[in-house]
Amino acid sequence: VQEIDRLIEARWIIPIEPYGTVLEQHSIAVDRGRIVAILPREAALQRYSARTRDVLDHHVVTPGLVNLHTHAAMTLLRGCGDDLPLMQWLTTRIWPVEKALMGEDFVLAGSRLACGEMLRGGITCFNDMYFFPNATARAVQEYGMRACLGITVLEFPSAWAPDADAYLSRGLALRDDLVNEPLISFSLAPHAPYTVADPSFSRIATLAEQLQMPIHLHLHETQDEIREGVEHHGLRPIARMARLGLINPNLIAVHCVHLEPHELELFAHHGVTLAHCPSSNMKLGSGIAPIAEALKAGVSVGIGTDGAASNNRLDMLAEMRLAALLAKGSSGDATAFPAHRVLESATLTAARVLQLDDTIGSIVAGKSADLTAFDLSDHDLQPCFDVASHLVFVVGRESVSDVWIGGNSVVQKRQIVQDTARQAEAEGASALSLWQNRVKIQIGSLS
Ligand SMILES: [Zn+2]
């Protein structure tokens, strides 16, 4: 009998690899943060003696969900500029309020709020883009979460950096500082084609190749963006990015609501991953990304919530359900984006483009034990014939019961359990009314 740290015994396990697999009455053996084996419950009890046993008789366990696009700290701006189209929303609400309030404490307070929301929603890793990533890093550490933090680049000044060079150098310095943090990695995050100039894009493409980093970019979000791109550069933004060397497997192309068939082919050919954020696209009236067509063309598709200012929840299960429905509804093909493919998008596909698939994204021996358990015993979830379809179409984030990251229990019975996270949550709660008032005053001064 082998001594191990933990045995997670579940009614169902969806390991994501091999594709389409559902294991019944299996256990996940975890030791020193890693998955040691996945085997039938009986056999596990014979082979292992675990210091902790999690007996989950009515639950399905999946890899932790990976939110492929968010702006965590924007939770503080949740619902502060609704019913406005993207450019108006950005220029008359988001940017002025951010300009007035931006700072390390704003980002810390917002990121704490986001980490708690995401963890309780079964998200173990998120791909972020925002100012003061040092503050987001602190929240991530407090909550014991995993994150890929964007080294955001814009041409215009903010409280975080005066110009594109400074955004890059400050971000890269933070990356050096945190190089030994196992749960934190970095991407290069040029904000968008309309906020970043050609020389910065070229530099980012070179850096991404030299440092083997993902590039995290809003791209083809609206028709206006494309029209403006053609006016200023004589090219659609994707063609411009191709010329600047950004269309490659490092690229996480966020939104891509408007794509022509040749652009889908280009993405498929060069291994670009699309980060699909359906709620944000719907809410800002941007349109419906052609996901059924993208999958058919062989493009990798991950799923993101976007920030709470344009969603307004950081809820991956809601995005997964909407993504499946929109792909089917808009293509007229009910077989488009099947449940197992949606689950893979929300885990392994995202892990791959974040260059974390050696560590997370599927339940495989040797990977980190980043796992989410959903309790399916609730009355409103009965009966269940197909647990994968249940996760996409029936289960909501309130069914997330337990979450583990690196083998550590971070959520138990829907409660955040780690001391540092509870402390951060308490501090966050007491700072919240202050921030809410500040945002309110700013919005008042704008209208
Ligand atoms: Zn975004």
Side-chain angles (χ1 to χ4, degrees):
V1 176
Q2 193 186 331
E3 283 233 347
I4 55 168
D5 288 335
R6 186 181 287 278
L7 204 55
I8 299 167
E9 309 178 30
R11 172 78 173 85
W12 298 280
I13 295 169
I14 300 184
I16 303 298
E17 284 182 296
Y19 178 79
T21 304
V22 178
L23 302 169
E24 290 199 47
Q25 305 293 2
H26 273 59
S27 295
I28 303 169
V30 176
D31 197 43
R32 287 177 223 155
R34 304 215 157 258
I35 298 164
V36 184
I38 303 104
L39 69 177
R41 287 174 78 162
E42 291 291 308
L45 289 174
Q46 283 167 14
R47 192 188 306 176
Y48 298 109
S49 151
R51 278 175 277 277
T52 309
R53 269 179 72 193
D54 301 286
V55 179
L56 307 170
D57 285 324
H58 310 281
H59 302 61
V60 52
V61 177
T62 69
L65 303 174
V66 182
N67 182 356
L68 194 53
H69 176 67
T70 192
H71 313 278
M74 291 182 88
T75 43
L76 290 181
L77 305 178
R78 197 193 308 269
C80 86
D82 283 1
D83 303 326
L84 294 171
L86 179 81
M87 276 333 264
Q88 209 179 331
W89 172 78
L90 271 178
T91 55
T92 71
R93 281 293 160 103
I94 301 302
W95 286 345
V97 174
E98 282 182 338
K99 195 173 175 205
L101 300 178
M102 189 51 60
E104 209 164 320
D105 17 342
F106 177 89
V107 175
L108 179 62
S111 299
R112 281 172 163 170
L113 205 54
C115 286
E117 180 181 358
M118 286 194 272
L119 271 187
R120 273 186 292 269
I123 297 166
T124 54
C125 177
F126 64 96
N127 182 35
D128 202 60
M129 179 199 285
Y130 211 57
F131 310 98
F132 292 93
N134 55 328
T136 305
R138 182 173 156 195
V140 165
Q141 288 169 312
E142 290 169 340
Y143 281 82
M145 275 189 94
R146 194 181 293 278
C148 178
L149 302 176
I151 296 175
T152 302
V153 179
L154 295 146
E155 302 297 337
F156 60 75
S158 69
W160 167 243
D163 55 38
D165 277 353
Y167 280 98
L168 267 174
S169 57
R170 288 202 75 174
L172 289 167
L174 179 66
R175 177 176 177 263
D176 288 343
D177 288 348
L178 297 175
V179 72
N180 292 320
E181 280 301 318
L183 298 181
I184 295 179
S185 60
F186 285 83
S187 73
L188 292 157
H191 172 263
Y194 52 91
T195 47
V196 179
D198 284 2
S200 302
F201 274 124
S202 298
R203 211 176 141 206
I204 286 164
T206 308
L207 277 171
E209 206 178 300
Q210 283 171 350
L211 303 173
Q212 269 311 300
M213 288 172 75
I215 302 172
H216 182 189
L217 168 71
H218 295 111
L219 190 59
H220 281 214
E221 182 173 5
T222 62
Q223 290 288 13
D224 277 350
E225 172 198 331
I226 297 170
R227 205 172 303 127
E228 200 194 56
V230 172
E231 260 170 47
H232 283 89
H233 302 277
L235 291 169
R236 286 164 67 87
I238 287 176
R240 179 173 156 231
M241 292 306 117
R243 193 149 84 177
L244 293 166
L246 276 87
I247 302 298
N248 61 54
N250 294 324
L251 183 63
I252 305 162
V254 181
H255 299 309
C256 295
V257 173
H258 306 284
L259 292 174
E260 290 183 350
H262 74 271
E263 291 164 336
L264 284 174
E265 271 169 42
L266 186 78
F267 276 14
H269 185 73
H270 291 279
V272 170
T273 298
L274 196 161
H276 180 39
C277 305
S279 291
S280 173
N281 299 154
M282 294 298 100
K283 185 156 179 290
L284 292 166
S286 304
I288 302 173
I291 297 305
E293 294 77 2
L295 290 167
K296 209 172 252 179
V299 178
S300 296
V301 176
I303 297 172
T305 60
D306 210 348
S310 65
N311 184 313
N312 300 352
R313 43 202 282 159
L314 308 180
D315 180 348
M316 277 292 284
L317 288 165
E319 296 310 301
M320 289 154 66
R321 181 169 194 268
L322 185 57
L325 292 174
L326 286 175
K328 293 170 192 299
S330 66
S331 68
D333 177 3
T335 69
F337 219 3
H340 278 287
R341 190 66 68 196
V342 174
L343 290 168
E344 182 187 57
S345 284
T347 54
L348 188 58
T349 304
R352 228 173 246 141
V353 73
L354 295 176
Q355 302 173 11
L356 295 173
D357 53 315
D358 283 349
T359 312
I360 60 166
S362 58
I363 304 177
V364 169
K367 287 200 185 187
S368 178
D370 289 26
L371 305 164
T372 297
F374 303 84
D375 181 354
L376 303 194
S377 62
D378 193 85
H379 169 278
D380 299 352
L381 309 180
Q382 308 313 319
C384 174
F385 302 105
D386 176 340
V387 72
S389 134
H390 241 56
L391 280 174
V392 174
F393 291 113
V394 186
V395 171
R397 65 178 173 181
E398 65 282 357
S399 296
V400 170
S401 62
D402 298 79
V403 179
W404 302 264
I405 298 177
N408 294 315
S409 173
V410 287
V411 173
Q412 246 173 46
K413 295 189 175 143
R414 300 200 31 73
Q415 300 294 318
I416 301 270
V417 287
Q418 292 195 333
D419 287 342
T420 51
R422 292 170 72 116
Q423 171 82 24
E425 205 143 68
E427 282 178 37
S430 63
L432 192 59
S433 60
L434 176 91
W435 286 111
Q436 194 169 342
N437 273 329
R438 287 182 183 165
V439 171
K440 214 167 165 182
I441 289 165
Q442 287 305 318
I443 294 169
S445 73
L446 291 169
S447 48

